[in-house]
Amino acid sequence: QVQLAEFGGTSVQTGGSLRLSCVTSGYSVSNKCMGWFRQAPGKEREAVAISDQVSGPKYLDTVKGRFAITRDSSKEILYLQMTRLQPEDTAVYTCAAKTSYCGRAYSPQDFDYWGQGTQVTVSS
């Protein structure tokens, strides 16, 4: 049984940094497509960062240069390092995983497994 659990969400001030962790069980992060999504109140879920093992990481335009997605295959953990946080980054952040490669399909419906999400709140 595959389980994903996010950690690290909290409240920070504008300009601060956070690292989110997605701990997996029953799942190998090696050679699989994984990503971080977020959903703010009243908005649709959007892909923030995708770890595409074939074509490289993909980022939402508004987080490029500020966020970095990495994975530790030895610990089976996916990370999202977030810097220079802005109030518009406030959302529930959720990690997701596929059973195989990304195949350039990065929409939420393309992912097979989801965590419960962790709240990130950025105050001005």
Side-chain angles (χ1 to χ4, degrees):
Q1 181 179 359
V2 175
Q3 292 184 317
L4 309 177
E6 301 92 343
F7 298 91
T10 189
S11 297
V12 295
Q13 293 189 327
T14 297
S17 299
L18 280 178
R19 187 177 77 162
L20 303 182
S21 301
C22 174
V23 179
T24 72
S25 62
Y27 182 83
S28 172
V29 304
S30 297
N31 299 318
K32 301 281 190 4
C33 185
M34 299 188 72
W36 287 95
F37 292 77
R38 70 184 181 188
Q39 187 167 22
K43 295 188 177 181
E44 291 191 358
R45 178 177 283 174
E46 61 183 357
V48 176
I50 303 295
S51 177
D52 187 329
Q53 296 289 71
V54 176
S55 62
K58 305 292 187 287
Y59 296 98
L60 184 67
D61 284 346
T62 55
V63 308
K64 284 181 181 177
R66 299 190 297 123
F67 290 12
I69 186 169
T70 58
R71 63 176 79 191
D72 186 333
S73 297
S74 66
K75 297 179 180 178
E76 308 292 12
I77 298 176
L78 181 75
Y79 298 103
L80 183 66
Q81 180 68 50
M82 305 186 292
T83 62
R84 290 181 280 142
L85 283 161
Q86 302 297 315
E88 50 266 34
D89 295 318
T90 295
V92 175
Y93 285 72
T94 308
C95 71
K98 289 190 178 186
T99 57
S100 61
Y101 294 101
C102 288
R104 298 184 183 274
Y106 308 127
S107 298
Q109 59 264 31
D110 297 317
F111 286 76
D112 303 298
Y113 307 110
W114 292 85
Q116 293 298 309
T118 185
Q119 177 70 47
V120 172
T121 302
V122 185
S123 58
S124 57

